Amino acid sequence: MAKQVLKQVLDFAGDAMGTLIALLSIVLTLVSLQGVTCHGEQPLSRIAIHNVVLAIDIHASIKATPSVLGVNGQNKEWVSLEYSVSNPSADDWIGVFSPGNFSASSCSPENPRTFPPFLCTSPIKYQYASYSNPHYKDTGKGSLKLQLINQRSDFSFSLFSGGLFSPKLVAVSNIVAFANPNAPVYPRLAQGKTWNEMAVTWTSGYGINEAEPFVEWGPKGGQQGHSPAGTLTFDRSSMCGAPARTVGWRDPGFIHTSFLKELWPNTMYTYKLGHRFLNGTYMWNQMHQFKSSPYPGQNSVQRVVIFGDMGKDEADGSNEYNQFQPGALNTTNQLINDLENIDIVFHIGDICYANGYISQWDQFTSQIEPIASTIPYMLASGNHERDWPGTGSFYGNMDSGGECGVLVQNMFYVPTVNRDKFWYSTDYGMFRFCIADTEHDWRQGTEQYNFIEHCLASVDRQKQLWLIFLAHRVLGYSSDASYADEGSFAEPMGRESLQKLWQKYKVDIAIFGHVHNYERTCPIYQNICTNNEKHLYKGALNGTIHVAAGGAGASLSEFTPIQTKWSIFRDYDHGFVKLTAFDHSNLLFEYKKSRDGKVYDSFRISRDYRHTGLHS
């Protein structure tokens, strides 16, 4: 299509310059849209699971070892596969299924003339049989190592011919299972509804009729107490459409949340997840620790990491398709390696790109466990978590794959008044964070607009000098090609209502995801830079610095070639931002690349609230 339009441009080259410019604009728009459409592609969606044909080959085999995992309490282990087939092909692939029994007994045929295997579920991951086996096509023999996590059920491995679009089931392996598939796993911390409360959420296979969930916790080295946990789950009918309701469905288990209250500020605590069975015995998770939040206005060094659009990736190389999310593990590993220098994380939308394949949420919580079990892991809602037609989304697209917010609202805790309305505020020492939900209407006169204004207006700027606005879609400024082609350099209607609030309440920095790159603007109001400094701001900004930080893992998006006056720094790479408040007068902003953890852009704000007009 783009080539045809380009030919038209050349054919009409002798016409008026206005026509030529218009046609060139169409070409750029087409190319831009082609780039945007691939960003949310879920690799598992490439598998035409409904087209599977039963073609068991008596000369084919696949074997997995070991058959029992986690005998020493591990929740993540590697499995070795050995396989062979009589007619090998480059597009043969291996699917990991969980539960391991995916025969006719696991779902009903659509009509009386269908025959087994009646596959009604997607694998939780897949890999090509020739991966790490360069001679597979010649020999028909191969081996593979895959990493599994504890997901409350057993596993089997199936060898398919025919590629992803016309899969033929050739061989099925033995069953592999964790020693205790129901064990409590993947704790994730979050700020509670008050600064001195920490929420602990985890997943298990134990319902409340089987075991009572709780957290044993207390000051490090001090007396430990117990806090009960609430339990919730959901079923296939909670989903809004396919694939979440069909081939992507997987039982989420039980999700538990406990609230640890009346914490002393900046104090180390230890905690352990527990389940008490009806017979009086206990099941425990390992011991973890966290540092409680500083009280609002507390003068201590406070370090915050913010990013969007990270997603998940597989250490074994599986589920890769066209370099989908190549930076996710790099970002995760950089945060793990620097965890001693991070106090809280904000992941502002497009969390794991499950897109309706429910198994991927377990994979993601496992990926971030070293981070989320130690420091608060706060979320904002993105289009790939929420959007689905007819469900109240501001956008009528199908980006959530039928999840319509159910997974993000239940798998993680955030201190919202209403789980479905994913906006909230949270205080961390000298910071006030106002987190918006761009998948619901934010314009003036709406419930969310009123919340945003109250969040910004209610902060005491003598105690919390650093006021930060966070949201998924860019409601401020971005030079991403998709936004530039629309002519708004932001989400349509994005800043029309909100910019007067940012200006009135002197928001320091507004940070957004959605565009998979990094960009920083000057302090700006109504398209005009209010401060010409670039790296050291002294005194009042007179505007808000806008940052796009959606490059944490998903495939990168291009910038427009248009150079705007307000764009100070752009980077087409994976990365994240870090804010460090040293005291009430000094804030450091850093942009770090995920591949090496080094700082590539930074600025400082130095001021005294008494001299800037900031007030409560």
Side-chain angles (χ1 to χ4, degrees):
M1 180 65 178
K3 290 182 179 178
Q4 291 175 351
V5 177
L6 184 58
K7 184 176 183 300
Q8 287 181 304
V9 173
L10 295 175
D11 290 342
F12 287 97
D15 289 354
M17 183 61 70
T19 303
L20 180 61
I21 293 173
L23 288 170
L24 282 170
S25 175
I26 294 172
V27 173
L28 288 173
T29 301
L30 285 170
V31 173
S32 170
L33 289 175
Q34 288 171 356
V36 170
T37 54
C38 73
H39 289 163
E41 187 174 48
Q42 166 55 250
L44 293 173
S45 68
R46 287 281 167 175
I47 302 172
I49 200 68
H50 288 307
N51 293 336
V52 168
V53 173
L54 184 63
I56 297 296
D57 182 353
I58 60 172
H59 300 294
S61 66
I62 179 168
K63 183 180 180 181
T65 55
S67 58
V68 180
L69 308 175
V71 292
N72 294 316
Q74 309 98 310
N75 291 314
K76 183 184 295 184
E77 285 227 53
W78 289 82
V79 172
S80 297
L81 303 180
E82 298 286 342
Y83 45 91
S84 63
V85 67
S86 54
N87 296 303
S89 172
D91 60 359
D92 293 350
W93 58 279
I94 293 169
V96 183
F97 288 85
S98 179
N101 176 19
F102 53 91
S103 66
S105 63
S106 62
C107 63
S108 301
E110 294 181 5
N111 62 69
R113 287 183 292 276
T114 11
F115 298 97
F118 305 149
L119 284 189
C120 63
T121 182
S122 168
I124 63 171
K125 61 164 63 178
Y126 72 92
Q127 183 55 277
Y128 286 99
S130 58
Y131 184 81
S132 73
N133 297 280
H135 303 295
Y136 171 79
K137 189 177 178 181
D138 300 319
T139 65
K141 297 181 183 297
S143 62
L144 190 63
K145 287 185 178 295
L146 293 175
Q147 189 179 66
L148 299 182
I149 67 163
N150 195 346
Q151 287 186 262
R152 303 169 307 284
S153 190
D154 56 14
F155 305 85
S156 66
F157 306 83
S158 298
L159 181 59
F160 292 87
S161 63
L164 301 179
F165 306 111
S166 301
K168 298 177 178 61
L169 180 60
V170 175
V172 181
S173 77
N174 53 297
I175 293 292
V176 170
F178 276 84
N180 181 11
N182 293 324
V185 290
Y186 319 130
R188 37 229 187 243
L189 301 174
Q191 293 265 87
K193 291 188 176 179
T194 60
W195 69 267
N196 60 348
E197 178 180 87
M198 190 73 76
V200 186
T201 300
W202 72 96
T203 307
S204 84
Y206 299 123
I208 55 174
N209 294 328
E210 189 175 1
E212 176 189 352
F214 65 94
V215 175
E216 181 178 276
W217 66 283
K220 188 173 183 178
Q223 185 176 356
Q224 306 290 291
H226 284 189
S227 288
T231 298
L232 54 82
T233 189
F234 48 91
D235 58 24
R236 193 189 298 260
S237 66
S238 303
M239 303 294 101
C240 295
R245 188 180 277 180
T246 57
V247 297
W249 170 255
R250 189 179 189 276
D251 190 321
F254 297 95
I255 300 147
H256 316 280
T257 299
S258 180
F259 297 95
L260 317 185
K261 301 183 178 184
E262 298 182 359
L263 304 175
W264 196 254
N266 275 349
T267 300
M268 294 302 300
Y269 287 85
T270 57
Y271 72 97
K272 189 163 58 171
L273 314 178
H275 289 263
R276 183 181 185 275
F277 296 99
L278 299 180
N279 63 6
T281 61
Y282 289 83
M283 167 59 62
W284 297 99
N285 185 263
Q286 69 188 77
M287 184 75 74
H288 298 275
Q289 67 178 27
F290 66 87
K291 186 176 74 170
S292 58
S293 303
Y295 61 79
Q298 184 168 355
N299 192 353
S300 61
V301 176
Q302 295 151 16
R303 303 152 301 182
V304 183
V305 165
I306 304 168
F307 55 82
D309 307 73
M310 184 169 76
K312 60 166 285 290
D313 207 346
E314 297 287 347
D316 56 24
S318 61
N319 286 19
E320 280 294 342
Y321 193 86
N322 287 348
Q323 293 298 301
F324 183 79
Q325 300 172 339
L329 287 185
N330 281 345
T331 299
T332 302
N333 291 335
Q334 287 296 341
L335 300 187
I336 293 171
N337 293 337
D338 196 38
L339 206 52
E340 292 183 354
N341 298 307
I342 304 171
D343 297 312
I344 187 171
V345 165
F346 288 88
H347 186 160
I348 50 176
D350 285 7
I351 308 304
C352 67
Y353 292 88
N355 294 8
Y357 292 87
I358 310 304
S359 62
Q360 304 306 287
W361 284 91
D362 285 320
Q363 301 284 343
F364 180 77
T365 54
S366 172
Q367 176 179 305
I368 66 163
E369 179 187 24
I371 306 166
S373 63
T374 306
I375 59 177
Y377 199 96
M378 312 300 293
L379 303 184
S381 180
N383 51 302
H384 285 285
E385 286 78 57
R386 183 63 182 82
D387 293 357
W388 194 259
T391 64
S393 297
F394 189 50
Y395 301 85
N397 61 52
M398 305 172 78
D399 289 352
S400 75
E403 293 179 16
C404 55
V406 174
L407 270 296
V408 71
Q409 293 163 19
N410 289 285
M411 292 291 289
F412 286 81
Y413 174 83
V414 294
T416 58
V417 175
N418 181 328
R419 284 179 180 267
D420 191 52
K421 298 172 181 177
F422 219 82
W423 55 76
Y424 63 97
S425 66
T426 193
D427 295 324
Y428 194 89
M430 294 175 285
F431 289 99
R432 158 69 62 89
F433 295 96
C434 298
I435 298 90
D437 178 358
T438 57
E439 310 318 299
H440 284 86
D441 197 346
W442 61 82
R443 293 172 296 177
Q444 189 167 0
T446 63
E447 182 182 357
Q448 181 169 198
Y449 180 92
N450 294 336
F451 155 77
I452 293 170
E453 179 161 29
H454 180 264
C455 181
L456 299 177
S458 61
V459 62
D460 183 346
R461 296 302 291 274
Q462 293 189 19
K463 294 180 179 178
Q464 294 175 282
L465 198 75
W466 312 115
L467 183 54
I468 313 297
F469 180 85
L470 303 177
H472 178 61
R473 294 175 185 261
V474 179
L475 304 182
Y477 296 83
S478 167
S479 299
D480 189 82
S482 60
Y483 282 143
D485 290 336
E486 294 172 352
S488 60
F489 289 92
E491 203 66 32
M493 304 175 291
R495 58 181 177 267
E496 290 177 8
S497 296
L498 296 178
Q499 62 180 342
K500 60 184 180 181
L501 295 184
W502 298 328
Q503 188 73 2
K504 178 179 179 180
Y505 298 108
K506 297 178 168 44
V507 172
D508 294 299
I509 308 172
I511 304 177
F512 309 97
H514 197 58
V515 292
H516 302 165
N517 49 45
Y518 168 77
E519 184 174 22
R520 170 169 67 97
T521 76
C522 60
I524 189 171
Y525 178 55
Q526 294 184 335
N527 288 296
I528 298 173
C529 291
T530 59
N531 192 312
N532 293 323
E533 178 56 51
K534 294 183 178 181
H535 297 288
L536 178 58
Y537 299 97
K538 293 184 177 181
L541 298 175
N542 298 318
T544 298
I545 297 171
H546 292 256
V547 176
S555 50
L556 296 168
S557 53
E558 299 281 352
F559 288 104
T560 178
I562 300 171
Q563 295 297 317
T564 59
K565 291 183 178 180
W566 42 260
S567 182
I568 290 180
F569 192 98
R570 302 178 183 179
D571 190 42
Y572 180 81
D573 205 347
H574 295 110
F576 54 93
V577 303
K578 183 178 182 181
L579 306 179
T580 303
F582 295 100
D583 51 40
H584 289 83
S585 300
N586 294 283
L587 179 71
L588 171 65
F589 174 102
E590 297 172 300
Y591 163 66
K592 297 185 175 186
K593 288 186 188 270
S594 299
R595 54 183 165 86
D596 59 15
K598 295 180 180 178
V599 177
Y600 285 80
D601 181 38
S602 66
F603 65 84
R604 287 177 177 265
I605 302 175
S606 178
R607 64 161 179 252
D608 189 324
Y609 68 88
R610 292 171 296 184
H611 299 152
T612 60
L614 296 174
H615 54 80
S616 59

